[in-house]
Amino acid sequence: MMDRYINCIVHNSSEGQLLIGKEKTALFDCGMLFCADETINNVKNALKDRPLDYIFMTHTHYDHIGALPFFRNVWSDVQIVTCQAGAAVLLKDTPRRVIRELSLNAAKTNGITRDLSYNDDAFAADIIVKDGDKIPLGEISVEVLETPGHTRDSLCYFIPEMRLLLLNETPGVLMPDGFMYPCYLTSYNDSIKSIEKCRDMPYKFLSLPHRGIANDEDTNEYFDKALTANVTCRDFIIEMKEKNHNEEEMLDLFFKKYGNETLLSFQPKEAFMANARATINCTLKE
């Protein structure tokens, strides 16, 4: 049954995991704008002549949904699934502007020229879900797990018939070198609760952000690594504050600790620093 779950990622900073049911098909995140054409081709090749019925958002960051207008151009009837918080974000001018700006910067960084004349109204939800909701695809279904921490609208998804748990970035991002990068931006406390919630699911397989299906070793160690990484990050920030570092000094130290070459191949420095500032601020606030 796992052959129905297809990795369509074309760049390590992008996303796109396709699930094919007997009646419906679903893509989990549609990835970066600059590589939209390649991602769409991967999805088309996997679907053959079938339509794309759903795009399930894990959250509303540009590297996960920046290609959405281009997907809507190809599949005009596709339904976008997110939670109430995500639907609200998509309607706001500022997030739409940020998605456009960061998408353009990512394209330039990768030496790609993209047409950005799309309509911002493409960023809108069609189906609003909440924790525990299930959407059937035929013989398999998608269960929604609200897992805030990375963002307030972060969602994970569980496919009970496959015992497949698809994760967002709230627990963290596992780098190819085995390092777990903590990614809580809105709440450390929410992230810990979300990690524990996911850990307790009856999964056999894990699908990791920007990676796809994890190997057995990574699956077995994932949530222990996630908890350790998040606790370590919180303690590091508190220690910096206790040493009376100001915000800019803390950002510099945070970059020295976490901004390695591998991580920056997944995330531009500009985005890294914006996220670092959010992590530091929410830690100190809590």
Side-chain angles (χ1 to χ4, degrees):
M1 192 175 279
M2 289 301 295
D3 60 352
R4 297 170 185 240
Y5 189 71
I6 302 165
N7 188 335
C8 294
I9 295 174
V10 297
H11 190 277
N12 60 8
S13 65
S14 191
E15 261 298 356
Q17 303 290 335
L18 182 67
L19 181 61
I20 300 177
K22 287 185 177 179
E23 296 178 10
K24 300 288 184 179
T25 64
L27 185 69
F28 298 91
D29 290 337
C30 55
M32 296 276 261
L33 181 149
F34 78 82
C35 55
D37 294 342
E38 294 86 350
T39 309
I40 287 169
N41 285 336
N42 280 356
V43 174
K44 280 183 174 180
N45 290 337
L47 288 175
K48 303 188 186 304
D49 295 326
R50 294 186 60 179
L52 179 62
D53 296 297
Y54 301 108
I55 295 178
F56 287 85
M57 292 185 178
T58 64
H59 61 294
T60 51
H61 280 172
Y62 80 106
D63 53 330
H64 290 257
I65 65 166
L68 184 55
F70 297 88
F71 274 80
R72 283 199 188 272
N73 286 341
V74 176
W75 293 283
S76 58
D77 293 329
V78 68
Q79 293 187 293
I80 311 306
V81 183
T82 186
C83 58
Q84 185 65 59
V89 168
L90 293 177
L91 294 177
K92 295 178 180 179
D93 290 338
T94 297
R96 289 178 171 188
R97 174 180 56 78
V98 171
I99 288 172
R100 185 183 289 271
E101 291 175 353
L102 291 177
S103 294
L104 177 60
N105 289 340
K108 289 180 178 178
T109 298
N110 287 275
I112 296 172
T113 301
R114 288 296 325 213
D115 176 13
L116 294 184
S117 61
Y118 64 79
N119 189 335
D120 280 335
D121 288 339
F123 292 98
D126 300 299
I127 299 175
I128 297 176
V129 293
K130 62 183 184 303
D131 194 69
D133 284 352
K134 287 186 178 181
I135 294 182
L137 304 183
E139 80 295 7
I140 54 179
S141 57
V142 180
E143 180 180 345
V144 178
L145 301 176
E146 293 185 15
T147 51
H150 179 58
T151 61
R152 293 182 179 86
D153 57 26
S154 291
L155 299 175
C156 291
Y157 298 99
F158 183 57
I159 320 302
E161 298 83 3
M162 299 168 64
R163 294 179 63 191
L164 169 63
L165 179 59
L166 188 144
L167 298 171
N168 59 46
E169 294 173 12
T170 288
V173 174
L174 185 62
M175 295 289 105
D177 59 5
F179 176 73
M180 178 72 77
Y181 173 59
C183 291
Y184 67 89
L185 306 180
T186 58
S187 173
Y188 165 82
N189 292 327
D190 283 350
S191 289
I192 295 301
K193 291 176 184 177
S194 294
I195 292 169
E196 293 171 343
K197 179 178 185 176
C198 289
R199 181 191 60 191
D200 292 340
M201 294 297 294
Y203 67 88
K204 180 178 180 182
F205 304 101
L206 290 181
S207 180
L208 308 184
H210 301 289
R211 292 277 301 276
I213 296 296
N215 59 38
D216 290 343
E217 181 179 356
D218 287 340
T219 298
N220 293 336
E221 297 177 353
Y222 189 84
F223 292 113
D224 287 340
K225 278 191 172 183
L227 287 168
T228 298
N230 280 265
V231 171
T232 299
C233 182
R234 178 205 59 184
D235 291 348
F236 175 60
I237 293 169
I238 291 173
E239 181 183 0
M240 287 193 292
K241 184 63 176 177
E242 289 175 344
K243 291 181 178 179
N244 294 318
H245 290 294
N246 61 37
E247 185 178 48
E248 293 308 312
E249 289 170 338
M250 285 192 282
L251 281 169
D252 183 58
L253 290 169
F254 194 94
F255 179 76
K256 289 178 180 177
K257 181 176 179 65
Y258 290 110
N260 59 52
E261 184 177 345
T262 301
L263 179 61
L264 294 178
S265 72
F266 282 77
Q267 184 182 60
K269 186 176 179 179
E270 178 187 17
F272 174 91
M273 296 306 290
N275 288 350
R277 191 181 299 273
T279 299
I280 291 169
N281 287 340
C282 80
T283 302
L284 298 179
K285 182 178 178 180
E286 290 183 326

